Amino acid sequence: SQELEQSPQSLIVQEGKNLTINCTSSKTLYGLYWYKQKYGEGLIFLMMLQKGGEEKSHEKITAKLDEKKQQSSLHITASQPSHAGIYLCGADSSNYQLIWGAGTKLIIKP
Amino acid sequence: EAGVAQSPRYKIIEKRQSVAFWCNPISGHATLYWYQQILGQGPKLLIQFQNNGVVDDSQLPKDRFSAERLKGVDSTLKIQPAKLEDSAVYLCASGPGPNYGYTFGSGTRLTVV
């Protein structure tokens, strides 16, 4: 079965600094989603990547899917307190199922 | 476009009591998921519906959990009786399927005491 591994598990970053979160799949990714979650709340959709080498940006967040479609990275530039939360990557599996990484907890230090 | 609606937002019950959660997906979305998310972990799929049929309920603890999707629209998830380890956030999501994304509700935070 396909698995998603996220790294790091948690991250503490000084406000204004850049950071990167990685998501690695055990199998080829056919649809990779990045979501953000505030503690105890629902998931907010950030971006979806499908094609090898694809890169998308929204405000200060950029997500990339590598050419082999087995790894994705999420990069935040000039981090702000509003970026704090849990970042989850999800992928389409068979039977329309979504599988998930365990999440990366991001803390922004003022 | 209205989002996925879930209620209640929070619920505190004693162990062995029963509880029900409600989800109203985005209109037209055929696929509906219920997830359980324990603090510090990624979401765990409980059950997946395609219209009003069950696609996957292999991880649903059927001795205490049940779910239904009425007429392929709204869905309810029930726990009876609840255990302490059921304390979690229960997330509902709907979507048209792969390549088109999924929308999550705000979740119901359940605390079993």
Side-chain angles (χ1 to χ4, degrees), chain A:
Chain A
S1 61
Q2 189 170 12
E3 292 183 350
L4 292 179
E5 185 173 328
Q6 278 188 246
S7 63
Q9 284 187 323
S10 62
L11 196 53
I12 302 174
V13 174
Q14 191 74 40
E15 182 177 352
K17 297 293 185 182
N18 304 337
L19 64 106
T20 300
I21 298 169
N22 293 303
C23 177
T24 302
S25 172
S26 58
K27 296 182 180 180
T28 300
L29 293 161
Y30 293 100
L32 189 285
Y33 306 88
W34 282 102
Y35 284 82
K36 180 185 175 184
Q37 185 177 34
K38 290 289 189 182
Y39 174 73
E41 297 185 4
L43 280 66
I44 299 168
F45 174 76
L46 295 176
M47 276 170 275
M48 180 179 73
L49 305 166
Q50 292 177 261
K51 301 175 184 175
E54 186 175 9
E55 179 176 320
K56 288 186 177 179
S57 293
H58 176 67
E59 297 179 346
K60 294 185 178 181
I61 301 176
T62 301
K64 300 178 185 179
L65 183 61
D66 75 342
E67 289 290 342
K68 294 183 179 179
K69 294 173 66 175
Q70 284 198 261
Q71 186 170 38
S72 177
S73 61
L74 184 83
H75 185 77
I76 299 177
T77 304
S79 58
Q80 299 170 353
S82 60
H83 289 130
I86 300 168
Y87 290 81
L88 287 151
C89 65
D92 288 314
S93 182
S94 60
N95 284 338
Y96 293 82
Q97 283 190 20
L98 283 174
I99 59 172
W100 295 94
T104 295
K105 184 177 180 181
L106 174 62
I107 297 171
I108 307 296
K109 285 173 53 179

Side-chain angles (χ1 to χ4, degrees), chain B:
Chain B
E1 172 181 78
V4 175
Q6 283 190 251
S7 67
R9 286 283 282 123
Y10 306 94
K11 190 75 177 178
I12 301 175
I13 62 171
E14 294 182 350
K15 59 183 179 183
R16 291 188 289 274
Q17 284 188 322
S18 62
V19 64
F21 311 129
W22 174 81
C23 172
N24 180 230
I26 290 176
S27 177
H29 279 191
T31 308
L32 186 147
Y33 306 85
W34 281 104
Y35 287 93
Q36 179 193 61
Q37 188 179 23
I38 293 171
L39 184 63
Q41 299 180 16
K44 169 191 167 186
L45 179 67
L46 292 175
I47 188 166
Q48 176 188 342
F49 292 95
Q50 189 73 14
N51 296 307
N52 60 351
V54 176
V55 174
D56 184 352
D57 63 356
S58 57
Q59 296 191 82
L60 187 73
K62 298 181 186 63
D63 57 333
R64 299 185 299 108
F65 286 64
S66 64
E68 61 178 0
R69 189 175 184 193
L70 305 173
K71 299 180 182 179
V73 183
D74 292 9
S75 178
T76 56
L77 176 70
K78 296 179 182 177
I79 307 175
Q80 183 180 13
K83 293 185 176 181
L84 296 176
E85 58 261 36
D86 297 331
S87 294
V89 175
Y90 290 84
L91 298 165
C92 177
S94 73
N99 305 326
Y100 295 96
Y102 302 87
T103 304
F104 281 78
S106 298
T108 296
R109 192 191 305 182
L110 173 67
T111 303
V112 182
V113 297

